[in-house]
């Protein structure tokens, strides 16, 4: 099957933005778009088999009633999911995406994504602000940690990306990120700021020059900056000062940038920025 943009929607307040960012990415990549809805088993268990509970009297009756309620809840959620997928397809078509498709599963999101991993060109997920505590959100973080496909994490409101920023630190993950951005049509034509936080020395300048040359050779307008300071604040200030619409990072490497985005400060930065984050593997 041709690789697709896979957009995970769940009916929460971020689903509309997920639809819009997924449609934008599908058109930029000229890739098919599929919406995915997973009915989590933990919340909607399958109908129970009570055949072994003969002779339990009132307890058996209660179990049957509870099982019937679970089954009814599951059927309602399934129907709601179908309607949600239909609305998502209609919205994508209105955005200009030809023939978007949908898929509905009952099970685990992680297992479902593992099953269809070969179909994924870009995974689009929404960030639920109300679930943010010390982590990005347990389900979202688990997906990001286990996925080996580019993943776009969206805020609750869509804004067409006009300027993007890649936090660069000389690591293999961020060097690969530069090469991935250069080779992909997703961001082509957009200014791509490459920002490095560190000492202004010859070694850092050499790496930054490589990043600029690689992107410019692919046709990008590539402003670069080498700025001393504390990583988190420096990158946040640069993003705000230049009105950056999307952050790009290599996911789960072993660098200072990785710790900035994925460590304890990740939650506050992504939540406060209200911009999408593109994670490259």
């Amino acid at each position: 099957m041709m690789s697709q943009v896979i957009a995970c929607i769940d009916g929460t307040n971020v689903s509309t933005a997920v639809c819009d960012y997924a449609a934008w990415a599908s058109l930029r990549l000229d890739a098919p778009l599929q919406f995915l809805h997973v009915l989590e088993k933990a919340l909607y268990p399958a109908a129970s088999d009570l055949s072994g509970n003969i002779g339990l009297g009132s307890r058996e009756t209660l179990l049957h009633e509870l099982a019937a309620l679970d089954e009814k809840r599951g059927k309602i959620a399934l129907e709601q999911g179908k309607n949600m997928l239909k609305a998502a397809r209609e919205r994508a078509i209105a955005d200009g995406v030809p023939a978007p498709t949908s898929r509905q599963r009952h099970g685990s999101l992680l297992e479902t994504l593992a099953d269809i991993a070969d179909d994924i060109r870009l995974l689009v997920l929404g960030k639920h602000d109300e679930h943010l505590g010390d982590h990005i959100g347990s389900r979202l973080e688990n997906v990001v940690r286990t996925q080996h496909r580019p993943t776009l994490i969206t805020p609750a409101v869509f804004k067409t990306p006009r300027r993007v920023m890649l936090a660069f630190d000389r690591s293999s993950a961020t060097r690969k990120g530069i090469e991935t951005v250069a080779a992909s049509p997703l961001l082509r034509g957009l200014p791509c700021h490459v920002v490095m936080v560190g000492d202004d020395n010859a070694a850092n300048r050499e790496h930054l020059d490589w990043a600029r040359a690689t992107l410019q050779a692919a046709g990008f307008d590539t402003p670069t900056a080498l700025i001393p300071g504390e990583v988190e604040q420096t990158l946040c200030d640069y993003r705000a000062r230049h009105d950056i619409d999307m952050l790009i990072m290599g996911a789960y490497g072993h660098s200072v940038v990785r710790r900035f985005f994925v460590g304890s400060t990740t939650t506050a930065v992504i939540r406060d920025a209200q911009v999408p984050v593109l994670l490259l593997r």
Side-chain angles (χ1 to χ4, degrees):
M1 181 181 293
M2 181 182 293
S3 61
Q4 307 172 87
V5 175
I6 302 290
C8 299
I9 57 175
D10 58 7
T12 58
N13 65 314
V14 298
S15 291
T16 298
V18 169
C19 290
D20 292 341
Y21 276 109
W24 170 83
S26 172
L27 294 170
R28 298 279 302 188
L29 292 169
D30 191 23
L33 171 58
Q34 182 173 94
F35 294 102
L36 173 66
H37 174 239
V38 177
L39 207 60
E40 292 280 355
K41 281 184 179 178
L43 297 176
Y44 301 98
S48 302
D49 179 8
L50 303 177
S51 59
N53 293 323
I54 297 174
L56 295 180
S58 61
R59 181 172 182 271
E60 181 181 2
T61 301
L62 179 60
L63 288 173
H64 276 291
E65 291 177 355
L66 291 173
L69 286 173
D70 282 341
E71 185 176 2
K72 185 175 182 180
R73 287 179 63 248
K75 287 180 178 179
I76 292 172
L78 193 68
E79 190 61 31
Q80 287 178 328
K82 290 178 180 177
N83 292 335
M84 180 174 57
L85 290 169
K86 180 176 181 291
R89 292 195 304 271
E90 291 173 350
R91 188 177 184 89
I93 290 171
D95 286 339
V97 178
T101 61
S102 63
R103 186 188 314 225
Q104 191 175 45
R105 292 280 186 91
H106 183 220
S108 158
L109 178 60
L110 287 176
E111 291 174 358
T112 298
L113 292 175
D115 289 342
I116 65 173
D118 291 342
D119 299 345
I120 301 174
R121 182 168 180 181
L122 174 68
L123 180 65
V124 185
L125 299 166
K127 170 176 64 70
H128 300 83
D129 286 352
E130 65 272 20
H131 295 156
L132 291 177
D134 292 333
H135 302 285
I136 298 173
S138 58
R139 187 169 71 162
L140 176 58
E141 190 166 6
N142 286 338
V143 169
V144 171
R145 285 185 179 278
T146 56
Q147 276 299 299
H148 296 281
R149 295 290 187 271
T151 301
L152 180 63
I153 301 173
T154 80
V157 177
F158 174 77
K159 178 183 178 183
T160 302
R162 302 295 182 191
R163 284 168 295 278
V164 302
M165 180 181 93
L166 194 152
F168 183 70
D169 65 358
R170 300 171 44 174
S171 68
S172 59
T174 55
R175 288 178 71 89
K176 184 178 179 181
I178 292 288
E179 294 169 340
T180 299
V181 170
S184 172
L186 180 64
L187 303 173
R188 195 158 295 153
L190 304 181
C192 182
H193 295 241
V194 180
V195 181
M196 189 173 189
V197 180
D199 296 330
D200 190 349
N201 56 44
N204 283 341
R205 283 287 173 191
E206 181 179 355
H207 284 279
L208 197 59
D209 289 344
W210 170 86
R212 181 196 299 112
T214 301
L215 289 171
Q216 287 182 340
F220 283 87
D221 174 17
T222 312
T224 58
L226 176 55
I227 310 171
E230 192 273 325
V231 174
E232 176 186 346
Q233 192 61 51
T234 300
L235 292 176
C236 287
D237 289 348
Y238 187 96
R239 183 185 63 227
R241 189 164 60 251
H242 294 273
D243 194 20
I244 298 296
D245 300 310
M246 181 182 292
L247 302 175
I248 310 166
M249 56 173 283
Y252 299 98
H254 299 283
S255 66
V256 66
V257 169
R258 192 278 304 178
R259 290 194 296 275
F260 159 61
F261 280 106
V262 184
S264 60
T265 59
T266 302
T267 300
V269 172
I270 295 179
R271 179 182 61 228
D272 295 343
Q274 293 301 303
V275 296
V277 178
L278 178 61
L279 303 172
L280 302 176
R281 303 305 294 259

